C-alpha cells in the first residue's frame, strides 16, 4: 500500500468507525504508529478536518465526506453483481434500494469503466434457484416484517410448519419468538431466534412460516450474541451409513446435503456416513435415489425405508 492509498484508507476507516487511535489505525493498515502520525499530519495540511484528542483518538469533523471515489472495473462489477443479488433475494424495500443503487453507481462511472464493466458483466450471470412464486413473495414479505421487528426489538408470532410431526401427528405449532438475526443458507432464509415455547434458541425456515405478526412485547438483544460469530450447537447424534451406486457418486457429492459427515469411494460403490437428529430428516432424500442406494445401518432405518417403499407400492 503506497502513501496515497494509505491516507485514503485512514479517511475511510475514520468515516466508518468515527473514532480511532493511531495504534488501531497502524494495526488495521499494517504499518507503524509513526507512519500514521505522519499521514495524519499530511492530511491535516491538505485540508482534511481531523481532530485529535490525547488518549481518545482521531475523528473527522461531522459532515465531512470524501469526494466521489473512482472505481476499478473489478470493484464496479462487484458492486453491481451485489446489487443484483440483493434485488433478487431481499425484501421489496431493499430490492427497490438495490435497483436505485445500481442506477446511481452506473451513472457516476466514467464511460470507459462503464463500458468495460458492462462487457465483463455480460460474461457473468447471477442465477439464484427460483422458489415457487407464491412462496417467494411470502418469504420477502416475512423478511421485511422480521427485519422491522429486529430493529425495533419486538417479538413476533407465527404459525410454523415443522418438517417432522409431533408425537400426536401435528406438524403445525404457534411460536412467539425474539428474532435475533436472518441467515441465507443454501438458498433459503433462516431465522435465528429465542423461542418462548422451547425456552431456548431455535432456527426457523422463513418459507415454513404463516400468519406472521409483530407483537407489542419488547425484548433485549443478548449481550453475548453476535450473528457473525454465531455457530449453532451440533445436536445430530444418530449415525446412518449408506452405499450408493458408483455411477451416481458425483451426483451425491453435488447434492451437498447438510447431513453428510464423510464419504469413501471404493470399487464396489460410494460409501456415505450421515449424522442426523432424527432419521425422518433423511428419509425422503434417501428414497429419491431409488435403487441406487442401500441403507447399511442402522437396521431400524433400513426397516423404516422398507415400510415407506411398501406404502408407495400400494399406489401402483
Amino acid at each position: 500500500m503506497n502513501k496515497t492509498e494509505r491516507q485514503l484508507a485512514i479517511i475511510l476507516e475514520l468515516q466508518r468507525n468515527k473514532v480511532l487511535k493511531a495504534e488501531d489505525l497502524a494495526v488495521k493498515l499494517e504499518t507503524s504508529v509513526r507512519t500514521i502520525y505522519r499521514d495524519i499530519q499530511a492530511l491535516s495540511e491538505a485540508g482534511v478536518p481531523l481532530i485529535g484528542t490525547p488518549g481518545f483518538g482521531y475523528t473527522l469533523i461531522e459532515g465531512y465526506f470524501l469526494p466521489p471515489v473512482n472505481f476499478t472495473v473489478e470493484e464496479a462489477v462487484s458492486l453491481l453483481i451485489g446489487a443484483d443479488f440483493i434485488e433478487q433475494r431481499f425484501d421489496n424495500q431493499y430490492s427497490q434500494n438495490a435497483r436505485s443503487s445500481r442506477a446511481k453507481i452506473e451513472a457516476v462511472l466514467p464511460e470507459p469503466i462503464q463500458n468495460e464493466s458492462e462487457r465483463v458483466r455480460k460474461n457473468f450471470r447471477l442465477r439464484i434457484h427460483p422458489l415457487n412464486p407464491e412462496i417467494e413473495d411470502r418469504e420477502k414479505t416475512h423478511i421485511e416484517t422480521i427485519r422491522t421487528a429486529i430493529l425495533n426489538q419486538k417479538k413476533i408470532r407465527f404459525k410454523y410448519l415443522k418438517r417432522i410431526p409431533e408425537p400426536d401427528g401435528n406438524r403445525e405449532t404457534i411460536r412467539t419468538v425474539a428474532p435475533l438475526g436472518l441467515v441465507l443458507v443454501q438458498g433459503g432464509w433462516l431465522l435465528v431466534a429465542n423461542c418462548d415455547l422451547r425456552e431456548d434458541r431455535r432456527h426457523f425456515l422463513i418459507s415454513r412460516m404463516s400468519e406472521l405478526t409483530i407483537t407489542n412485547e419488547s425484548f433485549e438483544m443478548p449481550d453475548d450474541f453476535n450473528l457473525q460469530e454465531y455457530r449453532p450447537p451440533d445436536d445430530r447424534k444418530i449415525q446412518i451409513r449408506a452405499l450408493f451406486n458408483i455411477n451416481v457418486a458425483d451426483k451425491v457429492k453435488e447434492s451437498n446435503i447438510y447431513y453428510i459427515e464423510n464419504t469413501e469411494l471404493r470399487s464396489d460403490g460410494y460409501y456415505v456416513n450421515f449424522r442426523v437428529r432424527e432419521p425422518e430428516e433423511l428419509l425422503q432424500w434417501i428414497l429419491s435415489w431409488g435403487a441406487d442406494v442401500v441403507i447399511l445401518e442402522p437396521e431400524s432405518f433400513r426397516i423404516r425405508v422398507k415400510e415407506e417403499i411398501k406404502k408407495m407400492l400400494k399406489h401402483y
Side-chain angles (χ1 to χ4, degrees):
M1 183 181 294
N2 61 36
K3 180 179 178 181
T4 302
E5 291 173 336
R6 191 174 60 247
Q7 290 178 0
L8 174 60
I10 288 173
I11 298 175
L12 291 173
E13 288 294 338
L14 289 173
Q15 284 187 332
R16 186 182 300 116
N17 297 286
K18 304 303 181 185
V19 181
L20 283 173
K21 293 181 179 180
E23 292 82 0
D24 298 328
L25 288 166
V27 171
K28 286 178 176 289
L29 303 181
E30 299 180 347
T31 188
S32 67
V33 174
R34 181 175 295 182
T35 298
I36 295 297
Y37 285 144
R38 287 200 296 263
D39 287 337
I40 292 290
Q41 181 64 31
L43 288 169
S44 296
E45 292 174 355
V48 177
L50 287 161
I51 298 175
T53 305
F56 187 67
Y58 293 99
T59 184
L60 285 167
I61 290 179
E62 188 173 354
Y64 176 80
F65 294 95
L66 281 173
V69 177
N70 290 324
F71 294 114
T72 65
V73 172
E74 292 78 10
E75 289 169 339
V77 170
S78 298
L79 290 170
L80 294 171
I81 290 178
D84 290 341
F85 171 76
I86 291 173
E87 182 179 351
Q88 292 185 49
R89 291 313 307 265
F90 280 61
D91 60 64
N92 293 329
Q93 180 180 339
Y94 271 92
S95 294
Q96 294 171 5
N97 291 338
R99 287 193 292 271
S100 174
S101 298
R102 184 171 59 239
K104 289 177 181 178
I105 292 169
E106 290 173 335
V108 301
L109 290 176
E111 188 173 349
I113 298 293
Q114 190 177 79
N115 292 338
E116 184 64 12
S117 66
E118 182 61 28
R119 188 178 71 84
V120 173
R121 287 181 71 206
K122 285 181 179 178
N123 299 317
F124 293 89
R125 183 183 178 189
L126 185 65
R127 185 177 183 272
I128 301 170
H129 183 68
L131 299 170
N132 176 296
E134 182 180 345
I135 294 176
E136 187 171 3
D137 288 343
R138 186 171 71 244
E139 186 178 70
K140 286 186 174 183
T141 301
H142 287 349
I143 290 170
E144 186 169 2
T145 301
I146 293 169
R147 180 168 55 79
T148 301
I150 291 173
L151 293 175
N152 294 325
Q153 293 191 306
K154 294 289 186 181
K155 290 187 177 182
I156 57 175
R157 184 176 292 113
F158 52 87
K159 285 185 178 180
Y160 191 68
L161 190 65
K162 297 183 63 178
R163 179 183 298 175
I164 300 174
E166 297 285 348
D168 62 2
N170 188 16
R171 292 180 59 197
E172 193 171 72
T173 61
I174 297 176
R175 303 295 182 100
T176 299
V177 307
L180 304 180
L182 289 163
V183 183
L184 187 64
V185 181
Q186 296 182 341
W189 282 100
L190 189 76
L191 171 66
V192 181
N194 286 340
C195 178
D196 287 1
L197 179 65
R198 302 304 183 196
E199 298 183 342
D200 198 3
R201 192 156 294 162
R202 288 290 188 267
H203 305 151
F204 302 94
L205 284 171
I206 306 300
S207 59
R208 293 177 180 268
M209 294 179 180
S210 62
E211 300 182 22
L212 173 65
T213 58
I214 299 177
T215 72
N216 292 323
E217 187 178 355
S218 299
F219 73 95
E220 291 188 8
M221 191 68 69
D223 293 333
D224 62 347
F225 180 77
N226 184 325
L227 185 63
Q228 308 308 318
E229 299 175 358
Y230 173 69
R231 295 293 180 273
D234 191 347
D235 56 354
R236 297 173 298 152
K237 307 295 184 183
I238 299 174
Q239 301 274 350
I240 293 175
R241 183 168 172 81
L243 174 61
F244 289 83
N245 187 317
I246 199 168
N247 295 324
V248 300
D250 288 340
K251 292 181 180 179
V252 175
K253 293 177 187 176
E254 291 166 2
S255 71
N256 198 31
I257 187 169
Y258 167 69
Y259 303 108
I260 292 180
E261 187 170 34
N262 54 61
T263 62
E264 183 181 2
L265 186 63
R266 299 182 188 174
S267 58
D268 60 334
Y270 188 52
Y271 289 80
V272 181
N273 291 324
F274 303 90
R275 208 152 45 89
V276 298
R277 298 175 189 84
E278 299 287 343
E280 292 289 329
E281 294 176 322
L282 200 61
L283 180 61
Q284 298 303 319
W285 187 83
I286 286 292
L287 290 170
S288 71
W289 295 96
D292 284 323
V293 63
V294 175
I295 299 300
L296 302 178
E297 56 185 52
E299 183 63 24
S300 58
F301 191 54
R302 285 172 57 88
I303 294 172
R304 179 69 184 88
V305 171
K306 285 181 183 179
E307 291 174 348
E308 197 66 23
I309 292 172
K310 288 178 181 178
K311 291 179 182 177
M312 293 167 62
L313 284 171
K314 290 179 179 180
H315 295 292
Y316 297 94

